[in-house]
Amino acid sequence: MSTVTMTMSVAEKLREWWRARPQPRWLIGPMVLIIAIPIADGFLPPDIHLAHLLVVAVAITAMGTGPRPTALVGAFAVLALVGAAVERRMLATENVIVELSSLAALSVLLVFFTSLRNRRERELIRVRSVSDATQRVVLRPLPERSGPVSLASAYRSAEADSGIGGDLYAVARTGGSTRLVIGDVRGKGLATISDTAIALGAFRAAAHREMPLPELAVYVEDSVRWGLREFSEPAEDVPERFVTAVLLDIPDEQPVVHVISCGHPPPLLLRPGATTATPLAVPEPAPPLGLGVISEETYTPASFPFAPGDRLLLYTDGVTEARDPRGVFYPLAERVAAWADHRPDQLLRRITADLETYAGGRLNDDMAMIALERDGLPAAA
């Protein structure tokens, strides 16, 4: 059993136990009502009867606790109503019998509904634990450092209760360089997890090998194309499934970054003191992965300066296509230039907070970002 699964299992049991036991902060008010209403009822004129308000105590308990506390308070409420009726010598009256029946029936219904609610909460906890475990396996957390490069990542799925969707990223370490990929599967949310896993698996299987970047791109393309065809349903249109991606290779001993773009938004280069962010636009971009391109000549890498202190921002279109209330796209290149001196983790926090404010919390697409900084070169360089 993984650490994530064990943690969620313990959390589920603790939550279930806490729901089952009487909780003082939710029981104080109902118990005060159960005591106060019969006492007040005894001092009021015969034509004024407050005992029917005991149902409020049961309803309040059901709002914040589980079935056992609700059943306990419901039983006390019925006993309080019986006591109030005995004190007034009205226990056998039609009015009291109707009130008793109604209170007992409502208490039973509330116990039933709290049981259903607790069951749904347990199911949700299990679903979230599966989602977290899947994310850990498919979309592994990036290391904080790879060679002379510091890394940070941010991810947000279009599905509210899921930690993974159609955006992807990964890093691999070779003998003398760091390789990264960031991509976007066509579609969004949970329906794209299969394609995401295929693309990441293809990159991880080959990225650590000592092969040129164009050869790596050919391998990933061939694997993605085969995987999309092999694991598709008969009714699915395979040619409509593809992955936009950017492949990067950062040599340890050269202040450059090599980039191959497969129909993906260009990375942004941030230099200390610069007032603008520079898009690393590849002169000869390749088509998205999965469309059947298998020629190495199709993938022509472009090299850009990447000196110590420089930062790169990789992102998916879930960032740049976020809109404000007027429908205007988020101007990432303009905004990010103001934070060019931030460390990678600080940079992503600023962008994420600014993006949520800009879009008013309405982010309807998957979103992934990687920020990286070259800290320095090896002494031999």
Side-chain angles (χ1 to χ4, degrees), residues 152-156 268-270 277 311-316 318-322 330-361 363 367-372:
S153 61
Y155 195 97
R156 177 168 178 170
L268 296 177
L269 176 64
L270 306 172
R311 295 168 177 84
L312 276 177
L313 178 66
L314 315 178
Y315 56 94
T316 59
V319 179
T320 53
E321 293 183 1
Y330 180 69
L332 176 63
E334 299 175 13
R335 298 286 186 114
V336 77
W339 310 313
D341 58 342
H342 285 44
R343 297 286 295 174
D345 55 341
Q346 298 172 338
L347 177 61
L348 294 187
R349 284 197 294 268
R350 290 297 301 268
I351 296 174
T352 301
D354 186 60
L355 182 63
E356 291 179 350
T357 302
Y358 182 87
L363 299 177
M367 179 191 78
M369 291 185 290
I370 302 177
L372 50 148

Side-chain angles (χ1 to χ4, degrees), residues 26-367:
W26 280 99
L27 295 182
I28 292 175
M31 295 307 296
V32 169
L33 286 175
I34 289 174
I35 296 172
I37 288 176
I39 294 176
D41 206 37
F43 291 95
L44 294 175
D47 57 335
I48 300 178
H49 191 43
L50 298 180
H52 59 276
L53 295 178
L54 288 167
V55 69
V56 176
V58 187
I60 293 175
T61 306
M63 288 172 55
T65 66
R68 295 179 188 176
T70 303
L72 181 64
V73 171
F76 281 139
V78 170
L79 292 176
L81 180 57
V82 171
V86 170
E87 183 182 359
R88 288 195 166 199
R89 297 185 179 88
M90 299 174 58
L91 182 59
T93 62
E94 181 179 349
N95 186 39
V96 171
I97 291 175
V98 171
E99 288 182 356
L100 277 172
S101 302
S102 301
L103 180 58
L106 182 60
S107 299
V108 171
L109 285 175
L110 289 175
V111 169
F112 174 71
F113 285 125
T114 53
S115 298
L116 290 181
R117 182 186 62 198
N118 283 7
R119 184 184 304 173
R120 294 288 295 177
E121 289 179 351
R122 289 193 296 269
E123 291 175 354
L124 181 59
I125 290 173
R126 285 193 290 270
V127 169
R128 286 178 175 173
S129 67
V130 171
S131 175
D132 290 342
T134 303
Q135 183 181 18
R136 290 271 177 181
V137 172
V138 177
L139 196 67
R140 301 172 191 167
L142 299 184
E144 295 182 0
R145 189 175 183 84
S146 178
V149 178
S150 297
L151 299 164
S153 61
Y155 195 97
R156 177 168 178 170
S157 173
E159 302 285 349
D161 296 322
S162 174
I164 188 170
D167 288 355
L168 58 97
Y169 53 67
V171 62
R173 182 71 185 156
T174 67
S177 68
T178 297
R179 288 180 168 176
L180 298 101
V181 64
I182 187 168
D184 186 0
V185 174
R186 182 180 180 271
K188 63 182 180 180
L190 294 174
T192 60
I193 291 180
S194 174
D195 295 355
T196 300
I198 291 170
L200 286 174
F203 174 80
R204 289 173 180 148
H208 65 281
R209 300 178 183 176
E210 300 293 337
M211 64 173 65
L213 196 59
E215 187 176 336
L216 171 63
V218 171
Y219 179 91
V220 174
E221 156 62 31
D222 187 50
S223 299
V224 168
R225 181 168 54 90
W226 175 85
L228 295 181
R229 183 179 67 252
E230 185 72 14
F231 297 100
S232 62
E233 298 294 334
E236 289 182 316
D237 190 359
V238 177
E240 293 298 322
R241 297 168 64 187
F242 55 82
V243 183
T244 66
V246 170
L247 300 170
L248 289 87
D249 185 83
I250 305 173
D252 292 349
E253 299 184 357
Q254 299 177 33
V256 298
V257 56
H258 307 298
V259 182
I260 288 180
S261 176
C262 302
H264 197 79
L268 296 177
L269 176 64
L270 306 172
R271 287 200 164 97
T275 58
T276 59
T278 304
L280 302 186
V282 176
E284 300 180 33
L289 301 172
L291 295 182
V293 180
I294 58 176
S295 172
E296 190 171 328
E297 298 177 357
T298 305
Y299 299 102
T300 304
S303 299
F304 302 92
F306 188 43
D310 288 350
R311 295 168 177 84
L312 276 177
L313 178 66
L314 315 178
Y315 56 94
T316 59
D317 60 11
V319 179
T320 53
E321 293 183 1
R323 301 172 183 262
D324 67 3
R326 298 172 299 170
V328 180
F329 289 123
Y330 180 69
L332 176 63
E334 299 175 13
R335 298 286 186 114
V336 77
W339 310 313
D341 58 342
H342 285 44
R343 297 286 295 174
D345 55 341
Q346 298 172 338
L347 177 61
L348 294 187
R349 284 197 294 268
R350 290 297 301 268
I351 296 174
T352 301
D354 186 60
L355 182 63
E356 291 179 350
T357 302
Y358 182 87
R362 299 185 303 273
L363 299 177
N364 299 320
D365 196 2
D366 300 321
M367 179 191 78

